[in-house]
């Protein structure tokens, strides 16, 4: 589904990703771990198409498409979802209006008619329950005045609404207490299907107690330096990132 | 607001440009350009006006000659040659009109293209329209239905003929002819406009609306609207306007006067979409307008809601004089400027009566190389015990070459008054746009969404069918403003 070959990425002239190889198949859950500043968020943003990052080498293909040729909104419409580490506030734009626009843009891209108002509201209600967000969410502006936990749950809620084929969750666990973490993880698990894939970016092993990955990768200095099964996360937790530096 | 419509609207964003820029081929009767006492006499004669009205015009003209053009606004206004303007242009009527069948089909077609149906049978909702084309009113719908309630809704010229006593009683009582330079000009040469009188205790059952269209070249439009709501009356009034795309600038200097008696309420909504000029700032309408409401009686209420997206230059301050005790004045405004547009707009709230209240919500949106200023005055007179005002002025900037300015003036002579002023300035951030992009929303739509969200507080005050129009306009006016 996703295939990254020898990727090089710069931001403001500084190389952050230095020859990264990474691939994801349908039905898989991957965890990417690593210390701060090693390029985890950069990788997520490059896949989503954030402009400020400059790809200086390598390739990314997604469902056979050259991903780097697609505008960010088209990547989203093709089924790529990024759960943001710091979801931005958009005052005045209600969650209902926002999601409705997003869903209908996606439907338009696929040649489908817009979703009828009633159907949409029912659908939204159903997905809200998945992450235990209250009904009043619909009238609130996007992320405005949300607590840290609510913002993260709101990301998972949007993921549930958009039913992505490839979801990348960037440090979705940071700043969550254990109850919120369970809710978020539970949401992700329920959305897991044989025809979609999830990449979980995290700093701590803790999240992986709840979202069990098929593969764990360690990102260090812009490259994946070690890959393995879920036991790698435990080993990493035990030995610390210092261990990686020796590899 | 229904998000159904929002979505449709945003779809339309891609169609772009100024949609109302076409010109209608109709036989037009114009008088030669130039302004003199003779011009005024010709206009007055063409309209078969009584002597007192001609006198009013001439007094205004003589005053105007002595007045300097206002220079205090944060605007760069190129010199206007008043002798080059045509002060009267009217589509030639084939004969006296008695029914819609007799209105020139070209004109009906023009208004249909603008989305204004003058056919009463075909109108979906209860909105009565007075359609003004260049200097004259083409057709007023629903007049007969309204007459049964005792409501007078007709063109200004008809009112002068049929209700001269009412016109004489109220004309110039809220905006005196000597009020300001452009008001004096309008008082001298005004051509047509709408007149509306709601009798005691009558709640007007439909929205009243005037649609202004400038068509002829080199003409100025100087319409005049007078609305009187008698004791306990209620009316909601809407005004829309468009003009063809032309390379030269055209002048629009209008006056709106509102009188609200005891317990009366008037809501006045404007969606201003005069041609703004092209991307390089060539052409466009100079929109120099004086709008003022007088809350004359106790507990009267006047509310201005405006969405200003068009015009090359806007100079406009819809105001309220809160004379009656417990009267209420409101001003809700969204002003958008893009490319080289300039707007200096705001309001004046003059508190004279006791326990008077006013609210000002102003949302400025600047893009391109435009300049957008809010200018407001809150004045509390000596006897205005317990006056209250709340003002909120927000500015939203798109891009780095535009300007937003706020000039709030507060003058109070009564220490029991409470005046609050809040102001914010913000930008649409790249992070917000990327967040929307990542959810499948392209940048143009994202801007439409964010801008409409920002303006929602004001748009919510518009009558439903206007709100939809306004949302579309906001999105369209800002097209191409980023990237």
């Amino acid at each position: 589904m996703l295939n990254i070959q020898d990727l090089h990425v710069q931001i403001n002239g500084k190389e952050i990703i230095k020859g990264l190889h990474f691939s994801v198949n349908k039905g898989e859950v991957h965890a990417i771990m690593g210390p701060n500043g090693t390029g985890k968020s950069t990788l997520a943003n490059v896949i989503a198409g954030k402009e400020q990052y400059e790809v200086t080498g390598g390739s990314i293909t997604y469902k056979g498409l050259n991903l780097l040729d697609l505008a960010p909104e088209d990547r989203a419409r093709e089924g790529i979802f990024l759960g943001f580490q710091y979801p931005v506030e958009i005052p005045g734009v209600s969650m209902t209006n926002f999601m409705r626009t997003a869903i209908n843009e996606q439907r338009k891209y696929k040649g489908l008619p817009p979703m009828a108002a009633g159907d949409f509201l029912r659908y939204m209600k159903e997905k809200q329950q998945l992450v235990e967000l209250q009904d009043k969410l619909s009238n609130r502006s996007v992320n405005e005045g949300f607590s840290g936990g609510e913002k993260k749950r709101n990301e998972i809620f949007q993921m549930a609404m958009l039913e992505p084929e490839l979801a990348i969750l960037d440090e979705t666990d940071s700043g969550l207490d254990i109850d919120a973490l369970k809710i978020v993880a539970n949401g992700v698990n329920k959305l897991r299907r044989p025809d979609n894939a999830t990449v979980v970016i995290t700093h701590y092993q803790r999240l992986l107690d709840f979202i069990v990955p098929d593969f764990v990768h360690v990102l260090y200095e812009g490259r994946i330096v070690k890959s393995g099964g879920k036991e790698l996360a435990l080993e990493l937790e035990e030995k610390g990132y210092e261990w990686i530096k020796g590899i | 607001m229904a998000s159904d419509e929002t979505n449709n609207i945003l779809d339309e964003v891609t169609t772009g440009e100024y949609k109302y820029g076409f010109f209608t081929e109709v036989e037009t009767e114009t008088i030669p350009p130039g302004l003199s006492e003779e011009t005024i006499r010709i206009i007055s004669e063409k309209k078969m006006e009584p002597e007192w009205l001609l006198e009013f015009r001439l007094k205004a003209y003589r005053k105007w000659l002595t007045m300097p053009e206002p220079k205090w606004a944060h605007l760069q206004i190129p010199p206007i040659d008043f002798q080059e303007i045509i002060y009267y242009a009217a589509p030639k009527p084939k004969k006296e009109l008695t029914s819609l069948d007799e209105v020139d089909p070209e004109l009906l077609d023009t208004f249909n293209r603008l989305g204004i149906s003058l056919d009463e049978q075909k109108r979906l909702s209860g909105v009565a329209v007075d359609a003004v084309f260049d200097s004259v009113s083409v057709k007023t719908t629903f007049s007969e239905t309204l007459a049964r309630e005792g409501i007078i809704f007709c063109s200004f010229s008809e009112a002068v003929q049929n209700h001269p006593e009412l016109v004489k009683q109220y004309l110039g009582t809220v905006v005196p002819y000597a009020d300001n330079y452009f008001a004096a000009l309008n008082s001298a040469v005004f051509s047509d406009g709408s007149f509306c009188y709601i009798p005691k205790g009558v709640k007007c059952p439909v929205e009243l609306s005037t649609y202004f269209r400038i068509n002829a070249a080199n003409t100025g439009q100087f319409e005049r609207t007078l609305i009187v709501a008698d004791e306990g009356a209620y009316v909601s009034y809407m005004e829309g306007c468009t003009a063809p795309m032309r390379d030269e600038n055209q002048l629009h200097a209008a006056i709106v006067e509102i009188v609200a008696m005891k317990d009366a309420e008037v809501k006045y909504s404007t969606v201003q979409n005069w041609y703004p000029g092209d991307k390089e700032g060539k052409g466009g309408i100079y929109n120099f307008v004086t709008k003022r409401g007088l809350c004359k009686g106790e507990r009267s209420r006047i509310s201005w809601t405006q969405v200003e997206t068009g015009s090359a230059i806007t100079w406009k301050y819809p105001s309220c004089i809160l004379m009656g005790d417990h009267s209420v004045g409101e001003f809700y405004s969204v002003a958008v400027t893009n490319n080289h547009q300039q707007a200096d707009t705001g309001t004046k709230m003059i508190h004279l009566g006791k326990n008077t209240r006013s609210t000002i919500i102003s949302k400025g949106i600047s893009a391109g190389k435009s300049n957008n200023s809010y200018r407001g005055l809150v004045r509390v007179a000596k006897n205005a015990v317990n006056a209250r005002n709340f003002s909120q002025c927000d500015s939203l900037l798109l891009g780095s070459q535009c300007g937003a300015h706020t000039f709030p003036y507060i003058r109070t002579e009564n220490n029991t008054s409470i005046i609050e002023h809040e102001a914010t300035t913000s930008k649409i951030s790249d992070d917000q746009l990327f967040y929307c992009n990542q959810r499948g929303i392209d940048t143009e739509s994202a801007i439409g969404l964010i801008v409409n969200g920002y303006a929602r507080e004001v748009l919510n005050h518009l009558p439903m069918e206007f709100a939809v129009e306004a949302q579309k306009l906001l999105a369209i006016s800002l097209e191409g403003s980023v990237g």
Side-chain angles (χ1 to χ4, degrees):
Chain A
M1 176 187 261
L2 180 76
N3 189 9
I4 301 179
Q5 291 294 325
D6 195 28
L7 184 70
H8 292 260
V9 179
Q10 287 187 356
I11 183 161
N12 300 328
K14 192 183 170 219
E15 189 164 55
I16 307 284
I17 291 183
K18 308 162 181 171
L20 179 139
H21 295 265
F22 179 51
S23 55
V24 178
N25 296 310
K26 277 184 188 174
E28 294 175 349
V29 173
H30 291 251
I32 296 180
M33 303 182 73
N36 282 330
T38 53
K40 299 191 302 289
S41 287
T42 301
L43 178 63
N45 280 306
V46 166
I47 295 172
K50 191 160 185 176
E51 244 180 37
Q52 289 79 348
Y53 297 88
E54 192 194 346
V55 176
T56 52
S59 66
I60 306 179
T61 54
Y62 168 71
K63 297 196 299 186
L65 300 163
N66 179 359
L67 194 69
L68 299 174
D69 281 350
L70 294 181
E73 59 270 24
D74 287 335
R75 298 183 194 195
R77 294 162 186 169
E78 284 288 350
I80 291 179
F81 178 89
L82 174 61
F84 285 82
Q85 186 176 1
Y86 304 109
V88 66
E89 300 188 358
I90 310 179
V93 179
S94 71
M95 273 309 297
T96 310
N97 205 359
F98 182 70
M99 279 326 294
R100 192 131 177 226
T101 308
I103 288 220
N104 285 332
E105 287 286 334
Q106 196 186 47
R107 290 177 67 90
K108 193 166 83 181
Y109 186 77
K110 292 177 179 162
L112 297 169
M115 200 182 263
D119 293 344
F120 175 80
L121 291 173
R122 266 190 299 280
Y123 182 61
M124 185 153 162
K125 210 160 192 171
E126 176 197 321
K127 298 296 182 185
Q128 263 170 264
Q129 282 161 1
L130 193 75
V131 286
E132 298 173 33
L133 271 172
Q134 284 157 347
D135 279 353
K136 62 182 180 192
L137 170 87
S138 43
N139 292 322
R140 288 169 69 181
S141 296
V142 178
N143 293 321
E144 196 184 31
F146 284 35
S147 69
E150 279 178 319
K151 282 184 183 170
K152 296 300 173 74
R153 277 192 276 166
N154 192 23
E155 293 294 292
I156 304 303
F157 158 71
Q158 293 176 48
M159 173 178 157
M161 292 290 287
L162 293 164
E163 298 188 319
E165 290 171 68
L166 175 65
I168 302 159
L169 304 177
D170 188 7
E171 307 246 1
T172 300
D173 53 335
S174 64
L176 289 186
D177 61 31
I178 194 75
D179 293 334
L181 189 68
K182 280 182 189 167
I183 292 168
V184 165
N186 186 34
V188 173
N189 288 330
K190 280 189 182 159
L191 295 170
R192 221 169 145 164
R193 288 201 318 246
D195 61 344
N196 65 19
T198 310
V199 177
V200 181
I201 293 173
T202 183
H203 196 65
Y204 304 104
Q205 193 272 334
R206 190 177 67 154
L207 178 67
L208 305 181
D209 288 341
F210 302 102
I211 301 174
V212 182
D214 301 304
F215 302 95
V216 174
H217 310 273
V218 181
L219 187 60
Y220 184 69
E221 291 194 335
R223 278 186 210 97
I224 288 178
V225 293
K226 195 166 177 58
S227 297
K230 61 187 173 206
E231 63 290 345
L232 178 59
L234 294 168
E235 197 178 352
L236 200 61
E237 180 89 343
E238 200 182 305
K239 297 182 178 169
Y241 286 120
E242 285 302 312
W243 168 58
I244 293 300
K245 290 177 187 170
I247 294 174
Chain B
M1 202 163 301
S3 23
D4 250 329
E5 267 123 351
T6 311
N7 287 308
N8 294 339
I9 290 154
L10 294 175
D11 288 348
E12 279 186 36
V13 167
T14 39
T15 59
E17 301 266 311
Y18 187 73
K19 284 205 265 187
Y20 309 102
F22 62 89
F23 168 72
T24 311
E25 284 290 344
V26 282
E27 240 187 293
T28 306
E29 180 194 4
T30 53
I31 61 172
L35 182 55
S36 63
E37 290 207 3
E38 186 53 27
T39 318
I40 290 160
R41 285 178 201 281
I42 293 170
I43 295 171
S44 189
E45 198 184 303
K46 282 198 178 291
K47 302 187 102 54
M48 295 175 289
E49 286 176 353
E51 190 60 29
W52 62 264
L53 193 49
L54 175 63
E55 279 310 309
F56 175 86
R57 287 175 179 280
L58 291 172
K59 264 195 293 188
Y61 175 66
R62 287 166 200 147
K63 179 69 192 177
W64 178 76
L65 288 175
T66 68
M67 297 170 92
E69 270 184 70
K71 297 276 186 223
W72 43 261
H74 188 76
L75 298 170
Q76 294 198 331
I77 307 173
I80 300 168
D81 187 343
F82 290 95
Q83 297 309 329
E84 275 187 2
I85 295 172
I86 295 170
Y87 288 86
Y88 183 87
K92 262 186 200 159
K94 305 213 160 102
K95 55 182 167 170
E96 193 70 15
L97 298 179
T98 53
S99 86
L100 189 67
D101 302 336
E102 293 166 20
V103 176
D104 187 335
E106 281 288 338
L107 290 182
L108 286 182
D109 184 51
T110 299
F111 284 96
N112 279 333
R113 283 176 73 180
L114 297 170
I116 314 294
S117 173
L118 298 181
D119 187 338
E120 291 179 20
Q121 308 301 319
K122 285 186 189 155
R123 290 199 61 83
L124 294 169
S125 55
V127 181
V129 183
D130 182 22
V132 176
F133 190 89
D134 289 332
S135 303
V136 294
S137 168
V138 177
K139 164 83 185 162
T140 308
T141 62
F142 288 112
S143 282
E144 288 155 36
T145 322
L146 293 170
R148 267 179 252 137
E149 304 263 0
I151 296 169
I152 303 167
F153 178 48
C154 61
S155 72
F156 203 93
S157 312
E158 280 172 70
V160 170
Q161 302 303 323
N162 302 334
H163 310 281
E165 68 301 334
L166 281 174
V167 176
K168 198 172 176 181
Q169 186 181 346
Y170 292 105
L171 179 73
T173 57
V174 188
V175 181
Y177 67 82
D179 188 80
N180 67 69
Y181 187 76
F182 295 109
L185 178 65
N186 174 289
S187 301
V189 300
F190 70 91
S191 40
D192 214 334
S194 301
F195 175 80
C196 169
Y197 174 79
I198 316 288
K200 268 185 200 173
V202 172
K203 312 272 179 228
C204 184
V206 296
E207 307 269 355
L208 300 185
S209 164
T210 304
Y211 197 92
F212 296 105
R213 173 76 178 169
I214 296 180
N215 190 60
N218 303 317
T219 56
Q221 181 144 329
F222 305 94
E223 82 274 356
R224 193 158 184 127
T225 299
L226 175 56
I227 299 169
V228 180
D230 216 327
E231 286 181 19
Y234 166 84
V235 63
S236 167
Y237 199 95
M238 318 189 285
E239 173 203 292
C241 35
T242 56
M245 285 153 74
R246 293 185 194 289
D247 284 347
E248 75 270 20
N249 297 103
Q250 279 180 283
L251 178 62
H252 170 249
I255 290 181
V256 176
E257 293 181 281
I258 298 175
V259 182
M261 310 301 271
K262 197 174 143 197
D263 295 308
E265 180 176 359
V266 179
K267 281 188 181 170
Y268 194 101
S269 313
T270 307
V271 172
Q272 186 265 107
N273 187 25
W274 295 116
Y275 177 54
D278 69 9
K279 286 197 168 64
E280 277 70 51
K282 200 169 186 202
I285 302 290
Y286 293 162
N287 189 37
F288 301 154
V289 172
T290 307
K291 292 183 170 179
R292 196 174 300 152
L294 174 62
C295 284
K296 200 168 182 181
E298 288 171 28
R299 292 176 302 276
S300 56
R301 196 176 181 115
I302 292 177
S303 165
W304 298 100
T305 305
Q306 62 172 17
V307 176
E308 301 282 314
T309 63
S311 298
I313 305 176
T314 295
W315 178 95
K316 177 179 168 185
Y317 315 90
S319 304
C320 296
I321 300 170
L322 304 169
M323 189 192 236
D325 292 347
H326 305 278
S327 61
V328 177
E330 293 166 319
F331 175 75
Y332 303 102
S333 170
V334 176
V336 182
T337 52
N338 196 1
N339 299 318
H340 291 266
Q341 279 177 279
Q342 307 177 64
D344 193 299
T345 183
T347 185
K348 288 191 275 188
M349 292 291 173
I350 315 291
H351 292 257
L352 302 176
K354 296 183 183 67
N355 300 305
T356 47
R357 280 185 294 136
S358 63
T359 304
I360 299 171
I361 309 284
S362 164
K363 304 268 182 179
I365 301 164
S366 344
K369 293 179 178 164
S370 68
N371 257 306
N372 200 326
S373 303
Y374 166 81
R375 184 183 303 276
L377 168 67
V378 176
R379 196 177 148 199
V380 179
K382 234 180 221 159
N383 298 323
V385 181
N386 292 325
R388 288 220 51 169
N389 162 268
F390 174 77
S391 301
Q392 187 186 327
C393 302
D394 297 331
S395 306
L396 183 68
L397 298 164
L398 278 76
S400 53
Q401 291 176 288
C402 52
H405 316 269
T406 306
F407 304 97
Y409 302 87
I410 295 170
R411 267 172 60 195
T412 177
E413 294 164 39
N414 188 306
N415 62 12
T416 61
S417 60
I418 300 173
I419 296 170
E420 291 170 79
H421 182 94
E422 289 179 8
T424 65
T425 303
S426 52
K427 280 186 86 160
I428 295 183
S429 70
D430 290 342
D431 284 344
Q432 286 173 326
L433 292 176
F434 181 62
Y435 193 82
C436 294
N437 291 160
Q438 212 303 304
R439 299 303 184 243
I441 303 167
D442 63 49
T443 302
E444 293 278 5
S445 303
I447 290 170
L449 201 61
I450 294 169
V451 164
N452 272 305
Y454 167 80
R456 189 165 62 174
E457 213 179 330
V458 172
L459 299 182
N460 284 346
H461 288 278
L462 287 173
M464 187 57 203
E465 91 166 29
F466 242 34
V468 173
E469 169 97 20
Q471 288 201 354
K472 283 189 213 175
L473 269 179
L474 284 187
I476 291 167
S477 331
L478 289 170
E479 223 169 89
S481 56
V482 173

mmCIF file of all heavy atoms in Angstrom, chain B residues 38 162 177 235 289 303 360 420:
data_model
loop_
_atom_site.group_PDB
_atom_site.id
_atom_site.type_symbol
_atom_site.label_atom_id
_atom_site.label_comp_id
_atom_site.label_asym_id
_atom_site.label_seq_id
_atom_site.Cartn_x
_atom_site.Cartn_y
_atom_site.Cartn_z
ATOM 1 N N GLU B 38 -29.690 73.904 -13.424
ATOM 2 C CA GLU B 38 -30.489 73.474 -14.560
ATOM 3 C C GLU B 38 -30.697 71.955 -14.528
ATOM 4 O O GLU B 38 -31.810 71.452 -14.720
ATOM 5 C CB GLU B 38 -29.775 73.928 -15.853
ATOM 6 C CG GLU B 38 -30.529 73.682 -17.144
ATOM 7 C CD GLU B 38 -31.953 74.244 -17.146
ATOM 8 O OE1 GLU B 38 -32.212 75.229 -16.426
ATOM 9 O OE2 GLU B 38 -32.814 73.691 -17.860
ATOM 10 N N ASN B 162 -48.007 60.209 -4.629
ATOM 11 C CA ASN B 162 -49.199 59.690 -3.944
ATOM 12 C C ASN B 162 -49.271 59.986 -2.451
ATOM 13 O O ASN B 162 -50.339 59.935 -1.861
ATOM 14 C CB ASN B 162 -49.306 58.179 -4.157
ATOM 15 C CG ASN B 162 -49.366 57.833 -5.639
ATOM 16 O OD1 ASN B 162 -49.795 58.657 -6.454
ATOM 17 N ND2 ASN B 162 -48.914 56.649 -5.999
ATOM 18 N N TYR B 177 -30.082 67.806 4.646
ATOM 19 C CA TYR B 177 -29.371 67.955 3.363
ATOM 20 C C TYR B 177 -27.964 68.479 3.554
ATOM 21 O O TYR B 177 -27.081 68.233 2.732
ATOM 22 C CB TYR B 177 -30.180 68.827 2.388
ATOM 23 C CG TYR B 177 -30.328 70.283 2.797
ATOM 24 C CD1 TYR B 177 -29.305 71.194 2.533
ATOM 25 C CD2 TYR B 177 -31.470 70.727 3.461
ATOM 26 C CE1 TYR B 177 -29.429 72.525 2.912
ATOM 27 C CE2 TYR B 177 -31.598 72.047 3.848
ATOM 28 C CZ TYR B 177 -30.568 72.948 3.574
ATOM 29 O OH TYR B 177 -30.680 74.245 3.972
ATOM 30 N N VAL B 235 -40.741 46.066 10.758
ATOM 31 C CA VAL B 235 -40.423 45.736 9.371
ATOM 32 C C VAL B 235 -38.970 45.275 9.248
ATOM 33 O O VAL B 235 -38.088 45.741 9.960
ATOM 34 C CB VAL B 235 -40.687 46.931 8.418
ATOM 35 C CG1 VAL B 235 -39.787 48.120 8.746
ATOM 36 C CG2 VAL B 235 -40.525 46.524 6.953
ATOM 37 N N VAL B 289 -21.975 56.499 1.039
ATOM 38 C CA VAL B 289 -23.368 56.369 1.441
ATOM 39 C C VAL B 289 -23.595 56.880 2.854
ATOM 40 O O VAL B 289 -22.775 56.654 3.736
ATOM 41 C CB VAL B 289 -23.773 54.880 1.336
ATOM 42 C CG1 VAL B 289 -25.133 54.649 1.924
ATOM 43 C CG2 VAL B 289 -23.736 54.430 -0.119
ATOM 44 N N SER B 303 -31.834 48.147 13.797
ATOM 45 C CA SER B 303 -30.704 47.247 13.663
ATOM 46 C C SER B 303 -30.176 47.274 12.230
ATOM 47 O O SER B 303 -30.930 47.079 11.281
ATOM 48 C CB SER B 303 -31.195 45.850 14.059
ATOM 49 O OG SER B 303 -30.301 44.886 13.640
ATOM 50 N N ILE B 360 -22.270 46.914 18.832
ATOM 51 C CA ILE B 360 -21.533 47.019 17.568
ATOM 52 C C ILE B 360 -20.683 45.769 17.409
ATOM 53 O O ILE B 360 -19.857 45.464 18.261
ATOM 54 C CB ILE B 360 -20.605 48.255 17.572
ATOM 55 C CG1 ILE B 360 -21.415 49.538 17.737
ATOM 56 C CG2 ILE B 360 -19.750 48.295 16.306
ATOM 57 C CD1 ILE B 360 -20.559 50.784 17.971
ATOM 58 N N GLU B 420 -18.054 49.269 26.584
ATOM 59 C CA GLU B 420 -17.033 48.233 26.467
ATOM 60 C C GLU B 420 -16.562 48.164 25.032
ATOM 61 O O GLU B 420 -17.360 48.223 24.108
ATOM 62 C CB GLU B 420 -17.605 46.864 26.819
ATOM 63 C CG GLU B 420 -17.958 46.687 28.278
ATOM 64 C CD GLU B 420 -18.731 45.398 28.468
ATOM 65 O OE1 GLU B 420 -18.084 44.337 28.496
ATOM 66 O OE2 GLU B 420 -19.961 45.450 28.566
#
